[in-house]
Amino acid sequence: MITRLSHLFLRTLRDDPADAEVPSHKLLVRAGYVRRVAPGVYSWLPLGLRVLRKVEDVVREEMNAIGAQEISLPALLPREPYETTKRWTEYGDGLFRLKDRKGQDYLLGPTHEELFALTVKGEYNSYKDLPVTLYQIQTKYRDEGRPRAGILRGREFIMKDSYSFDLDDEGLKNSYAAHRQAYQRIFDRLGVSYVIVAATSGAMGGSASEEFLADSPVGEDTYVICRESGYAANVEAVVTPAPAARPIEGLPAAVVHDTPDTATIATLVDWANGAGLAEQFGRPVTAADTLKNVIVKLRHPDGKTELLGIGVPGDREIDEKRLGASLEPAEVELLTEADFKENPFLVKGYIGPKALLENGVRYLVDPRVSTGSTWITGADEAGKHIVGLVAGRDFTPDGTIEAAEVRDGDPSPDGAGVLESARGIEIGHIFQLGRKYTDAFDVDVLGENGKPVRLTMGSYGVGVSRMVAVLAEQKHDEKGLRWPREVAPFDVHVVIANKDEGARSGAEALAAQLDAAGLEVLLDDRTASPGVKFKDAELLGMPLIVVVGRGYADGKVEIRDRFAGTAEEIPADTAVEAVVARVRG
Ligand code: ATP
Ligand code: MG
């Protein structure tokens, strides 16, 4: 069937929407692919829906190819299973919660580990049934704090989520590897440029996890990559190489100094260099010689709060995302004036490890604060610092924490070179979850030896609706959208660019032949001017545009290739063959 622009439910817009910042958002709205209904909630219009369905098809084919079976679970879910796993509360404000007429609690599913675990438990009871992988392509709901960039970060969005169930760790590794390959095939077919990075497991719990990030300057994920070794990791997952422990014997005793007005690292470093420490150190003192102690308040899922001290080298800021990921599921809050009043041992600007440890505040340090390292830090009295405080001798922290910022030039954890940062958009995520959910719901089957076996799970997601925005983001040019063949709403866009009856009937005939050859054809049969039609064709983004215009009288049509940027006049009677060859080629 030929789709005619004169009938298509489509209005293109000349101006960018006022709320749009990134190109994909602007273009998808201007080209009439999506329309905003509420923050992070969008309607799909015909062209957008066609792209979305094509992305779904690629995902579905590759999931089926690894033996995964498609099912569909509700988005409206009862509270109980999420209560069992504590995610009813741990999910925090991100969860859409609602009540039915009887006052029963429900939620709109943000991800479905609970329900898949229960579904498998409901149907299977023998080791012979395993392994099994189930998936769905379904609407998810998350009350995102910052819905952004149209469908890139929605509050309603479509995800392909799959879940593998295996008898043992070996099986889980295989299911994970199969997914990893399927994801590579999906993203390669879609033509996305991406990297695979090591990730933290976040609120999901569990161990091995990797993210697929599409390269994009507008991405919200920062990752680091070591060009020498190819090591790549989400910033949250970067492990700081800890220096080896150094000998403590012979190090001079720590000395408390009067350091008036040195509540900031910069003023402290100035004091140190002015006070002759540079001579003692044999080099200028820098912020990296100081130990900065930051106190935060943790709110645990059970509602309890706890003060936590974090020690980082003074030349580094705390990275909120890394800190948050390290402390999940607890939420991190800043201290209020009231907290300082309640804990008078916390002397702002002069906090040291001693007061924290003496007052029972848990104290975690950056891995660089290793045994035998020496620091200038607060002496827990206003206007006083201590110089030569040795980790492992003068204080023993409760452990280490990955909270300090990662910088370009930091050593790669694999020792192969240095890290460099880049930005990306998360398009897929694979996890070896393990038994967190099967433990919660006692998902056992009878093993070969007659004993129950607890299943182990993997969970895997692809952002299907987000992918539409990612492709728009990566492929567009200054004229408009440009869709890779695999997902373009139509294979070819035929433009009638002349009022003359010959051109019109020639274009109709050409469209009919292309259609008969099995191509999806969009025909611009409107009465608008050629200029308007060309602009729209470029905005809408079909990979091939065939112009039937003035040259038709001389037996010529023009083929424009949006990716190659070429425009070529060819004999009209070879046009079908030429277009088919390009689409299939
Ligand atoms: P992000 O870090 O971007 O918030 P996430 O880690 O919370 O994503 P997952 O729970 O891993 O997301 O979900 C699997 C996939 O679903 C993600 O890789 C992403 O592609 C997609 N996705 C997640 N949140 C959204 C959203 N708000 N809008 C559109 N797609 C999303
Ligand atoms: Mg994720």
Side-chain angles (χ1 to χ4, degrees), residues 135-406:
Y135 77 98
Q136 60 178 352
I137 297 177
Q138 188 243 23
T139 309
K140 296 275 184 278
Y141 296 87
R142 295 182 184 179
D143 195 358
E144 298 277 357
R146 291 192 313 124
R148 180 176 170 260
I151 54 170
L152 202 56
R153 180 175 296 286
R155 295 197 296 164
E156 176 183 283
F157 60 97
I158 296 173
M159 194 200 288
K160 183 288 297 176
D161 47 329
S162 42
Y163 306 84
S164 64
F165 295 83
D166 279 281
L167 292 166
D168 51 29
D169 296 353
E170 195 56 33
L172 171 57
K173 282 210 176 78
N174 293 337
S175 299
Y176 182 89
H179 269 88
R180 194 177 196 273
Q181 281 170 15
Y183 278 27
Q184 287 174 290
R185 279 193 293 268
I186 290 168
F187 299 137
D188 289 345
R189 275 181 67 182
L190 293 173
V192 201
S193 143
Y194 67 96
V195 290
I196 304 178
V197 305
T200 49
S201 47
M204 298 274 189
S207 49
S209 156
E210 285 167 296
E211 286 173 357
F212 293 72
L213 301 183
D215 308 324
S216 172
V218 307
E220 288 181 290
D221 286 86
T222 308
Y223 67 95
V224 292
I225 183 157
C226 170
R227 302 279 171 206
E228 287 82 1
S229 64
Y231 165 89
N234 192 315
V235 164
E236 281 98 312
V238 174
V239 179
T240 309
R246 275 162 276 181
I248 287 172
E249 278 118 76
L251 290 175
V255 179
V256 176
H257 289 262
D258 280 321
T259 60
D261 300 323
T262 54
T264 64
I265 295 294
T267 51
L268 178 62
V269 170
D270 283 349
W271 167 83
N273 284 314
L277 289 190
E279 288 71 49
Q280 191 181 317
F281 281 37
R283 59 174 173 80
V285 176
T286 70
D289 296 312
T290 69
L291 177 61
K292 175 162 72 179
N293 296 303
V294 176
I295 315 299
V296 295
K297 189 153 73 175
L298 297 188
R299 188 169 297 276
H300 293 284
D302 60 8
K304 292 203 179 103
T305 59
E306 178 200 358
L307 288 185
L308 177 73
I310 299 157
V312 297
D315 62 328
R316 299 214 175 227
E317 296 303 324
I318 296 229
D319 178 324
E320 272 177 45
K321 277 192 168 180
R322 276 169 59 72
L323 178 68
S326 294
L327 295 170
E328 246 175 40
E331 302 228 14
V332 181
E333 295 173 8
L334 295 178
L335 265 61
T336 59
E337 282 306 319
D339 292 316
F340 279 102
K341 279 224 177 74
E342 244 171 70
N343 300 286
F345 59 89
L346 298 176
V347 185
K348 267 195 205 165
Y350 300 93
I351 299 172
K354 195 158 160 268
L356 300 177
L357 294 164
E358 281 176 6
N359 289 279
V361 176
R362 191 151 63 100
Y363 182 52
L364 302 178
V365 295
D366 183 86
R368 281 164 280 240
V369 187
S370 56
T371 300
S373 60
T374 303
W375 302 94
I376 304 172
T377 192
D380 302 307
E381 258 182 77
K384 285 188 197 293
H385 277 91
I386 188 158
V387 175
L389 198 74
V390 176
R393 180 190 74 182
D394 302 323
F395 68 100
T396 304
D398 296 305
T400 58
I401 184 167
E402 293 292 350
E405 62 181 329
V406 178

Side-chain angles (χ1 to χ4, degrees), residues 211 426 429 431:
E211 286 173 357
E426 186 182 321
H429 199 164
F431 284 101

